[in-house]
């Protein structure tokens, strides 16, 4: 089920979009705090975002720029401010499409579905994994959470990569040790424990104390 995040301050428009999303069997959420748009995006981890330009506090261009610091999620701008300058600005700030208000709801959903297909039919080629707002960049061995970049060692990266690839399932210590052997470092039980501990401290420092759970006698799990 695809997740749609709606950043729109008109309750009527937001409600109509939610009704359409429900008809298409999409999970959806409307922004609650217009001062915390990026944080709510990271928390919800949507597959696509609808973003108005004129918003309370900060405009849509600002939030698009903030979201692009940690996510490649497709963003469709929806706005009555549809002159050429705003459309160009939206694309330059990282938007993927622009729909002028007022719009037909069926046309909007068709554009959403088309962009979802284009993006996620090729998702396997994108070098990122994402779970609960944590984005693991497989290109540079870093994670991004709430707009912050966190550097990982090779061992920490291998551990987190293996756990995220097997999320919601227990990963044994033996499997993690096999993954660490790929770093060409000597690995034993103590090495694994030390690296898991260091990784947890880095995550805890960013507010992710419960991201990795220990299953005693079995291994570790990310849920």
């Amino acid at each position: 089920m695809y997740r749609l995040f709606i950043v729109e301050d008109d309750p009527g428009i937001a409600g109509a979009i939610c009704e359409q999303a429900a008809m298409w069997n999409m999970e959806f959420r409307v922004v609650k705090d217009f001062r915390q748009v990026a944080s709510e995006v990271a928390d919800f981890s949507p597959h696509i975002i609808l973003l108005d330009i004129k918003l309370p506090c900060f405009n849509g261009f600002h939030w698009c720029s903030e979201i692009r610091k940690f996510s490649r999620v497709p963003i469709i701008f929806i706005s009555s401010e549809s002159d050429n300058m705003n459309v160009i600005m939206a694309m330059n700030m990282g938007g993927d499409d622009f729909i002028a208000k007022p719009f037909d709801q069926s046309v909007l959903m068709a554009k959403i579905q088309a962009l979802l297909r284009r993006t996620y039919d090729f998702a396997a080629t994108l070098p990122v994994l994402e779970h609960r707002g944590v984005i693991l960049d497989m290109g540079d061995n870093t994670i991004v959470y709430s707009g912050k970049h966190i550097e990982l060692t090779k061992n920490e990266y291998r551990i987190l990569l293996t756990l995220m690839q097997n999320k919601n399932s227990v990963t044994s210590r033996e499997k993690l040790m096999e993954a660490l052997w790929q770093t060409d470092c000597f690995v034993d039980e103590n090495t694994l424990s030390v690296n898991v501990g260091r990784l947890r401290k880095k995550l805890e420092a960013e507010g992710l104390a419960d991201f990795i759970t220990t299953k005693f006698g079995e291994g570790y799990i990310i849920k």
Side-chain angles (χ1 to χ4, degrees):
M1 180 183 292
Y2 287 117
R3 294 184 299 277
L4 169 66
F5 190 73
I6 304 162
V7 187
E8 168 60 64
D9 63 335
D10 185 315
I13 295 175
I17 294 172
C18 290
E19 290 179 6
Q20 286 291 316
M23 290 173 61
W24 282 85
N25 196 34
M26 296 181 71
E27 185 178 351
F28 54 86
R29 184 181 297 180
V30 180
V31 65
K32 296 178 180 177
D33 187 345
F34 286 97
R35 294 166 299 180
Q36 301 292 333
V37 173
S39 296
E40 291 191 26
V41 167
D43 178 65
F44 187 50
S45 189
H47 294 98
I48 194 165
I49 296 172
L50 294 180
L51 179 61
D52 196 1
I53 292 177
K54 194 173 182 180
L55 297 168
C57 303
F58 300 99
N59 65 27
F61 298 138
H62 168 82
W63 289 120
C64 184
S65 179
E66 290 298 300
I67 292 166
R68 282 290 174 258
K69 291 179 180 178
F70 64 90
S71 177
R72 303 178 187 181
V73 60
I75 296 174
I76 298 178
F77 278 88
I78 51 172
S79 179
S80 57
E81 300 182 356
S82 57
D83 57 273
N84 288 343
M85 185 58 67
N86 277 307
V87 174
I88 293 170
M89 186 75 168
M91 298 300 103
N92 287 340
M93 295 301 292
D96 297 278
D97 204 344
F98 192 108
I99 301 178
K101 295 179 182 177
F103 48 76
D104 184 282
Q105 291 289 341
S106 60
V107 173
L108 173 65
M109 294 310 298
K111 281 183 170 285
I112 289 174
Q113 294 298 322
L115 186 52
L116 286 170
R117 287 194 300 271
R118 289 199 302 272
T119 303
Y120 297 104
D121 279 352
F122 299 98
T125 65
L126 298 177
V128 296
L129 285 176
E130 187 171 2
H131 183 61
R132 287 171 52 190
V134 175
I135 302 165
L136 178 64
D137 191 323
M138 294 182 281
D140 62 4
N141 294 11
T142 63
I143 56 176
V144 180
Y145 180 68
S146 293
K148 295 182 180 179
H149 288 258
I150 306 165
E151 298 289 336
L152 301 178
T153 66
K154 287 184 179 180
N155 283 348
E156 291 165 352
Y157 165 75
R158 284 286 178 184
I159 291 169
L160 192 57
L161 173 64
T162 304
L163 290 173
M164 290 183 73
Q165 287 176 330
N166 296 276
K167 62 185 179 182
N168 297 318
S169 299
V170 176
T171 302
S172 68
R173 289 177 62 87
E174 290 74 17
K175 186 169 184 177
L176 288 174
M177 289 174 66
E178 289 176 8
L180 292 188
W181 273 111
Q182 298 178 40
T183 63
D184 297 324
C185 296
F186 175 73
V187 179
D188 58 13
E189 290 278 347
N190 184 61
T191 303
L192 175 61
S193 296
V194 169
N195 280 276
V196 170
R198 287 175 178 169
L199 175 59
R200 275 180 159 155
K201 285 183 179 179
K202 287 186 178 181
L203 296 173
E204 288 171 3
E206 303 301 331
L208 291 161
D210 62 344
F211 194 69
I212 300 174
T213 302
T214 300
K215 292 292 184 179
F216 292 100
E218 299 180 60
Y220 305 94
I221 185 172
I222 288 177
K223 295 190 289 186

